[in-house]
Structures are given as C-alpha cells and as structure tokens.
C-alpha cells in the first residue's frame, strides 16, 4: 500500500515534470530510504533497481548515497544486497557525502554493527583494483575531524565502540583509536564522557 501511494504521488509529479520513468523509480527508491516508515520492503526495493532500472548510485542533496541511508536506517539486509550486487562497482557509489561522512560514519551513529562489519570487509581488500578510488576506512575523518568511533561515542553507541575495541584490533590499535583527535582536539574518550 505504501509503494502504491508513493507511486501514484510520484507519477502525478511525473506528469507535471519531465522526469523519465527511470528517474521516477530512482526517486521512489531514495524517498523510501529517507522515509520514516518502520518497515522497508528490501525485496521491493531490489525489484525497483533490477526490474524498473532505478539508479542505485543516486545521491540526495547532501551527497548521501543509498549506502548511507541503509546504514542510518539499520537495513543490514539491504546493505548486504547492495554490497553483493555491486561489489566490483563500489567506487560508483558516493562514499563520501558533502560533510565527508561515509556509510561507516552513519552505521556507527545508528548502531548498525552488522552493516559496519560488511562495510569494513567491503572497503578493505579492494586496494588491488587499479581502477579503484580511495575507499573509506573506520579511521576516515569527516569535515569536523570525526572518525566513526567519535560518532559512536557521540551517539552513545557503546556496542559499536566495544566491537571496534575488542573485535577489530590489537591493544596498540585500540589505544591509537581511542586517542585519535577530532578538529577541536577531542578524542573518542572525551566524547564518550560528554
């Protein structure tokens, strides 16, 4: 029912504008991910891309890709679908938004550990590709100097911090991550007690 209403709403706009059907379905894809609905039909969204040719590489006005929105909405099953279907084309996604935030930042903010794990696996190991662009890491900093651990601490996502500290690295790495400073000289520990 949600998609039917959305389709009729967008098709009304389509009649008033010069949007192609592909652009209309791309807008439906983006609007669905941005909506506040509690339930997202992963199969329906994948059909929009596969059968209706919605553009999976679309970005919103802030430069956020569908990977950003999947991370924010905790849609780890859709994240997995995108990463599997577009594994060789990750560089086509806008991996850094207008604030230089990556899908890793958004997953850390939302507490989506499953997507974080998938992004870390997908974004590492692709360095051998001669055509690849710089892929983000969990240490990539946004325009405020925050890496995804700063974001997890700011958004009170203790489970994300635990994952990074106990699952991702050595004691030295954990120490380095905790003491990484943002643009205002604050570490992850500063944000954790803020």
């Amino acid at each position: 029912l949600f998609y039917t209403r959305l389709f009729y709403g967008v098709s009304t706009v389509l009649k008033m504008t010069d949007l192609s059907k592909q652009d209309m379905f791309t807008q439906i894809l983006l609007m669905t991910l941005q909506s506040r609905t509690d339930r997202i039909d992963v199969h329906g969204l994948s059909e929009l891309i596969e059968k209706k040719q919605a553009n999976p590489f679309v970005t919103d006005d802030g430069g956020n890709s569908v990977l950003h929105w999947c991370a924010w909405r905790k849609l780890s099953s859709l994240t997995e679908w995108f990463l599997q279907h577009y594994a060789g084309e990750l560089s086509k996604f806008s991996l850094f938004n207008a604030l230089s935030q990556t899908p890793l930042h958004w997953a850390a903010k939302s507490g989506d550990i499953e997507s974080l794990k998938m992004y870390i696996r997908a974004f590492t190991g692709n360095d051998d590709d001669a055509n690849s662009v710089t892929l983000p890491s969990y240490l990539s900093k946004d325009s405020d100097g925050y890496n995804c651990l700063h974001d997890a601490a700011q958004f009170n996502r203790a489970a994300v911090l635990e994952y990074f500290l106990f699952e991702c690295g050595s004691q030295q790495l954990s120490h380095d991550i905790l003491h990484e400073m943002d643009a205002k000289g604050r570490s992850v520990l500063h944000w954790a007690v803020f």
Side-chain angles (χ1 to χ4, degrees):
L1 184 62
F2 174 76
Y3 291 115
T4 304
R5 286 188 200 150
L6 191 58
F7 175 77
Y8 285 117
V10 173
S11 64
T12 303
V13 172
L14 179 65
K15 291 175 187 172
M16 299 183 309
T17 67
D18 292 330
L19 282 178
S20 68
K21 284 189 178 185
Q22 180 185 16
D23 290 341
M24 177 185 67
F25 288 116
T26 298
Q27 289 305 310
I28 290 172
L29 170 68
L30 194 56
M31 288 169 37
T32 302
L33 288 172
Q34 293 172 331
S35 71
R36 293 185 179 210
T37 185
D38 290 335
R39 188 168 172 269
I40 300 269
D41 178 15
V42 173
H43 178 71
L45 290 180
S46 63
E47 280 191 8
L48 276 176
I49 294 167
E50 291 178 331
K51 293 184 180 173
K52 303 294 185 181
Q53 272 69 55
N55 180 3
F57 307 113
V58 66
T59 59
D60 64 15
D61 293 338
N64 303 303
S65 69
V66 294
L67 296 178
H68 286 85
W69 285 106
C70 287
W72 184 250
R73 299 294 309 279
K74 295 183 179 182
L75 298 171
S76 55
S77 58
L78 190 57
T79 297
E80 182 178 30
W81 186 87
F82 277 116
L83 293 177
Q84 285 176 351
H85 281 77
Y86 299 99
E89 302 176 89
L90 286 177
S91 61
K92 289 185 179 179
F93 287 101
S94 177
L95 298 175
F96 296 89
N97 68 12
L99 298 174
S100 297
Q101 296 169 336
T102 70
L104 288 160
H105 285 90
W106 283 38
K109 289 178 186 187
S110 71
D112 186 358
I113 293 174
E114 291 307 311
S115 288
L116 261 172
K117 290 177 185 178
M118 287 184 265
Y119 288 134
I120 290 170
R121 278 193 305 270
F123 295 158
T124 56
N126 287 323
D127 297 332
D128 298 334
D129 182 3
N131 298 325
S132 70
V133 295
T134 302
L135 294 174
S137 81
Y138 58 90
L139 295 177
S140 295
K141 292 186 175 185
D142 67 11
S143 60
D144 290 319
Y146 304 147
N147 63 37
C148 61
L149 277 87
H150 288 101
D151 288 329
Q154 288 175 345
F155 281 75
N156 199 25
R157 304 296 185 190
V160 172
L161 292 170
E162 286 179 24
Y163 169 74
F164 277 108
L165 295 177
F166 299 116
E167 299 293 327
C168 282
S170 66
Q171 286 185 326
Q172 182 60 40
L173 178 63
S174 297
H175 180 270
D176 293 345
I177 290 171
L178 289 176
H179 291 69
E180 184 80 21
M181 298 292 181
D182 65 16
K184 293 184 179 179
R186 297 183 185 119
S187 71
V188 173
L189 293 175
H190 286 107
W191 283 110
V193 297
F194 182 67

